[in-house]
Amino acid sequence: MFTFSLSLLYLIVSTFANKVPPSPTSILQFTQTLDHFRFNDNKTFQQKVLIYDRFYKPNGPILLYFGNEGDIFDFYNNTGAMFEIAPKVNGLIVFLEHRYYGSTLPFGKESYTNENLIYLTIEQALADMALFITHKSTFLKVNGPVILFGGSYGGMLAAWFQVKYPHLVLGSLAASAPVDIYPGENKQQEFFDAGMYVYGKFGSPTCEQWIRTALAKVTTLGNSKAGKDVLTKQFNTCNSIQNDIDVDRLLLYINGALSTMAMVDYPFAANFVTPMPANPVAYACNLTNNLSNNSKDDLLMEGLNNVMNIFVNYTNQLQCHNISQELLSSTTSVRRLPSAATAFKGHSLGDINRPWNYQACSELILEPLTSNGDGFFVPSKDLVPKIEAACKKEFNVVTRPNWMRNSFGNGIEIVKSTHNIIFSDGEKDPWRVGGVPSNSKDIGDGSVIHILIEGGAHHQDLRFGSKEDPTTVTQAKKQELNIIMGWLEEYVRDTLVNK
């Protein structure tokens, strides 16, 4: 029988920043169905599975990470919370890689052709997880309850899974999961302001002010040939900025870098997504503390480039900024977007540019990759048609902007229709504007809750605890453990009653 003591509700906070978990005890391949929604095609592919079983005891739960857009090892190495929770609940740790990422390539080297990308959908990924869970007793040789974990897109998948397959899991921890940021909700300005807020609070008010001014100046300079020359020089773009679409691409590149650096403003040095120093926002603001709203245009552009480079080029790995890869294309020009098949080298998540932008083009139009493939930014309403034009040229797909909301519901609807989900968001994360309502516990059956972590960054609660963590992160991790153990206690009671 699964047993544990409620006296173990505390978390042992690791004193090692960036602690790396032990290596998997098993690396397996699960035979996965290629197309779950056709009945005249039995094609399969191999899906990577990472397992760590040293904490597992009979009848313990399966702590299952829903892989997102990248190599599964990167999420394994950056999700220490599962290794903190598992010994307290006798859990088996399992990570399932997302189709089309890492080494889980259904068509091998040909996986990213337009013809083969058609099987890369959220619905197929959710069905992958459903099939995997239904084979737990034969593939994993265990039959305990499943608790899903996921951060960012992985957290979105964990939540959406409970909308579609609520009978297969006991609960989910969906960290930094923006399940409610859809076209027509007009959250673009709120997202931008949430990112700038981080520079004002965790950098300095002056830093936020001059960055806002500098971003506006980029548009102004882009209106003239001389101004475009300044932008080309100060931002060291790989090709000269020649027209309006180039200016749009530069702005998307810059905004993606700024918002994503705010998102991952961890209090310790980290290389998740891209190498950065501890407290990168404060670092960048201190580096440019000589600037103000009244600084000359060329100095503002130089400063903005310096701030951006803390995120995209901290280790000087880039010789220039390749803005041509931004998923934007003129709606009237015949000029074609350079092929996204060009790989971004050196990324911890692997080359995710083409598969992720295909997903953005088909189902997540407000979430294209930016900033050399490292960043994300919610584009303004006027940019969306240009993204759609690029999608048509690059992938020959037409976006269905309302499909995801119609299929899964908005934040309130998800809360009302699900059970046992912890949604967590960090104060520093601009994507929190797409989270579920703060009063979620009062909206549904009381089992779906939202935790806003003051001073927390993007799914910081999923990482190993660190001495640099603010107390709010430590408290959130403890609260999450408490809730999960409550789910398991209820499961044990129900199991005994139903025997």
Side-chain angles (χ1 to χ4, degrees):
M1 180 187 298
F2 174 77
T3 60
F4 54 85
S5 169
L6 285 177
S7 64
L8 293 176
L9 287 180
Y10 66 93
L11 276 170
I12 300 174
V13 178
S14 167
T15 58
F16 302 98
N18 299 323
K19 183 177 178 181
V20 177
S23 298
T25 53
S26 300
I27 301 175
L28 305 177
Q29 298 290 333
F30 178 72
T31 300
Q32 186 60 262
T33 299
L34 177 64
D35 189 346
H36 296 278
F37 307 108
R38 287 174 57 189
F39 301 94
N40 61 347
D41 188 345
N42 296 321
K43 292 187 180 71
T44 61
F45 64 95
Q46 297 301 298
Q47 189 168 25
K48 183 182 285 185
V49 182
L50 308 182
I51 298 172
Y52 187 79
D53 63 8
R54 295 292 186 260
F55 303 127
Y56 179 72
K57 293 181 181 179
N59 300 314
I62 302 166
L63 308 184
L64 178 52
Y65 188 90
F66 209 133
N68 30 332
E69 73 284 18
D71 190 304
I72 196 61
F73 267 105
D74 202 59
F75 301 108
Y76 183 95
N77 289 331
N78 286 280
T79 313
M82 291 175 65
F83 293 85
E84 295 170 330
I85 294 171
K88 297 169 176 58
V89 299
N90 304 329
L92 179 70
I93 297 174
V94 182
F95 282 70
L96 183 67
E97 190 163 68
H98 195 297
R99 58 169 59 201
Y100 287 84
Y101 293 101
S103 62
T104 300
L105 302 176
F107 299 94
K109 294 180 179 180
E110 299 301 314
S111 294
Y112 295 164
T113 65
N114 286 353
E115 311 86 71
N116 290 336
L117 279 169
I118 63 172
Y119 302 102
L120 175 54
T121 67
I122 287 166
E123 291 75 14
Q124 297 281 9
L126 295 176
D128 286 347
M129 180 61 79
L131 185 64
F132 180 76
I133 291 174
T134 58
H135 284 76
K136 64 183 179 182
S137 60
T138 54
F139 185 79
L140 298 174
K141 310 300 182 186
V142 298
N143 204 32
V146 174
I147 298 174
L148 285 179
F149 290 77
S152 195
Y153 171 54
M156 296 157 71
L157 290 169
W160 288 331
F161 188 84
Q162 290 203 226
V163 173
K164 296 298 184 184
Y165 304 98
H167 57 292
L168 294 180
V169 296
L170 181 61
S172 298
L173 171 52
S176 300
V179 293
D180 191 3
I181 190 159
Y182 298 122
E185 293 185 330
N186 300 316
K187 292 183 177 179
Q188 290 92 335
Q189 185 63 44
E190 188 180 359
F191 179 89
F192 173 78
D193 289 339
M196 289 297 101
Y197 164 85
V198 178
Y199 288 87
K201 179 173 181 178
F202 298 95
S204 72
T206 300
C207 187
E208 177 188 356
Q209 291 163 9
W210 80 253
I211 288 176
R212 284 179 178 269
T213 298
L215 287 169
K217 291 278 188 179
V218 171
T219 300
T220 303
L221 289 168
N223 289 329
S224 68
K225 173 64 169 63
K228 290 183 176 71
D229 291 342
V230 170
L231 296 177
T232 298
K233 177 182 177 182
Q234 295 298 341
F235 289 100
N236 188 29
T237 57
C238 297
N239 298 301
S240 61
I241 296 173
Q242 299 178 355
N243 50 40
D244 291 346
I245 197 69
D246 287 341
V247 177
D248 287 338
R249 288 172 181 156
L250 175 62
L251 269 171
L252 189 58
Y253 188 105
I254 297 168
N255 275 312
L258 295 178
S259 64
T260 310
M261 185 163 76
M263 175 185 94
V264 291
D265 187 41
Y266 297 121
F268 40 75
N271 61 0
F272 183 62
V273 181
T274 183
M276 281 189 297
N279 301 299
V281 166
Y283 184 98
C285 288
N286 289 335
L287 183 69
T288 55
N289 62 8
N290 61 316
L291 296 175
S292 71
N293 286 345
N294 299 320
S295 297
K296 293 182 179 179
D297 288 355
D298 58 339
L299 293 178
L300 286 174
M301 297 305 103
E302 180 184 26
L304 196 56
N305 184 57
N306 288 337
V307 170
M308 177 179 72
N309 277 333
I310 301 304
F311 176 71
V312 296
N313 201 27
Y314 183 61
T315 56
N316 295 315
Q317 71 273 21
L318 301 180
Q319 295 181 345
C320 59
H321 294 302
N322 184 9
I323 65 171
S324 69
Q325 287 293 323
E326 299 302 290
L327 193 66
L328 290 175
S329 187
S330 171
T331 56
T332 57
S333 172
V334 296
R335 179 185 175 197
R336 190 178 185 279
L337 182 75
S339 175
T342 302
F344 289 131
K345 303 298 183 183
H347 291 236
S348 63
L349 297 175
D351 176 24
I352 69 170
N353 179 58
R354 188 162 174 81
W356 180 259
N357 274 344
Y358 178 83
Q359 289 194 259
C361 285
S362 56
E363 297 186 298
L364 299 169
I365 193 62
L366 296 186
E367 302 178 35
L369 271 176
T370 65
S371 319
N372 201 52
D374 284 322
F376 293 91
F377 183 73
V378 178
S380 59
K381 188 182 300 185
D382 63 307
L383 283 185
V384 172
K386 299 176 183 180
I387 294 174
E388 291 174 333
C391 290
K392 180 65 175 176
K393 292 178 181 179
E394 185 62 33
F395 300 108
N396 195 30
V397 298
V398 176
T399 302
R400 298 176 183 174
N402 299 318
W403 169 247
M404 288 301 296
R405 180 169 178 169
N406 292 341
S407 184
F408 296 98
N410 62 19
I412 292 176
E413 290 162 342
I414 289 173
V415 171
K416 287 181 177 180
S417 63
T418 56
H419 184 73
N420 283 1
I421 305 180
I422 304 166
F423 286 98
S424 63
D425 284 299
E427 179 188 13
K428 294 179 177 180
D429 189 354
W431 291 99
R432 62 183 167 80
V433 306
V436 298
S438 59
N439 64 335
S440 291
K441 189 172 183 179
D442 301 323
I443 294 174
D445 66 3
S447 71
V448 179
I449 72 162
H450 179 263
I451 302 172
L452 179 62
I453 306 173
E454 184 178 351
H458 195 59
H459 54 69
Q460 190 172 343
D461 50 325
L462 283 187
R463 300 178 68 94
F464 270 117
S466 166
K467 63 182 179 181
E468 285 87 5
D469 284 339
T471 57
T472 49
V473 171
T474 305
Q475 290 166 355
K477 288 161 73 71
K478 184 175 180 179
Q479 183 181 359
E480 290 162 2
L481 174 63
N482 193 346
I483 293 168
I484 289 169
M485 295 183 80
W487 295 343
L488 292 169
E489 285 233 330
E490 183 179 12
Y491 172 83
V492 170
R493 288 195 300 269
D494 291 346
T495 301
L496 290 173
V497 168
N498 293 326
K499 274 189 174 181

